[in-house]
Amino acid sequence: QVQLVESGGGSVQAGGSLRLSCVVSGNTHNNYCMGWFRQAPGKEREGVAAIDSDGRTSYVDSVKGRFTISEDNAKNTLSLQMNSLKPEDTGMYYCAARLWCQVLRGLFPPIGGSDSWGQGTQVTVSS
């Protein structure tokens, strides 16, 4: 079982930056995918960025060139650097992990409800 705790959310103006962090505990078995998801009020949850244990990444088109996902294995931390934020980036951001998973051909991995999830951190971008 993997436990995830997010932090780093907040309120910023459009064009600003935030860095989200997710501390990971538990055994990932060195073969996993981790991802950041977001959900805005009245909208479905969407995958934003993902990375696997070999460092392959995937991003939703709307954040390419603005967001960067990374991991610090020494600190057991997953991060999401968000630059040039837009009001449409507003939402609750969740960190998630799926074991025995890979990012293949740049496609977003199948991280779903049965996998491990954090409690979320709110990001609000004002215009």
Side-chain angles (χ1 to χ4, degrees), residues 34-112:
M34 297 196 67
W36 287 98
F37 293 75
R38 66 187 178 193
Q39 187 166 22
K43 294 187 178 181
E44 294 187 355
R45 184 179 62 199
E46 68 168 344
V48 175
I51 189 168
D52 70 11
S53 49
D54 289 326
R56 292 178 289 239
T57 58
S58 176
Y59 296 90
V60 69
D61 286 345
S62 61
V63 307
K64 287 181 179 177
R66 300 189 298 122
F67 291 12
T68 302
I69 189 171
S70 62
E71 56 182 346
D72 183 337
N73 291 324
K75 297 182 179 179
N76 294 328
T77 301
L78 178 74
S79 298
L80 184 68
Q81 178 66 42
M82 305 187 295
N83 298 328
S84 302
L85 283 161
K86 303 176 181 180
E88 51 263 45
D89 294 318
T90 294
M92 185 69 78
Y93 281 68
Y94 299 90
C95 171
R98 179 181 179 91
L99 303 183
W100 312 113
C101 172
Q102 292 178 302
V103 173
L104 299 176
R105 298 184 298 277
L107 297 176
F108 209 89
I111 302 173

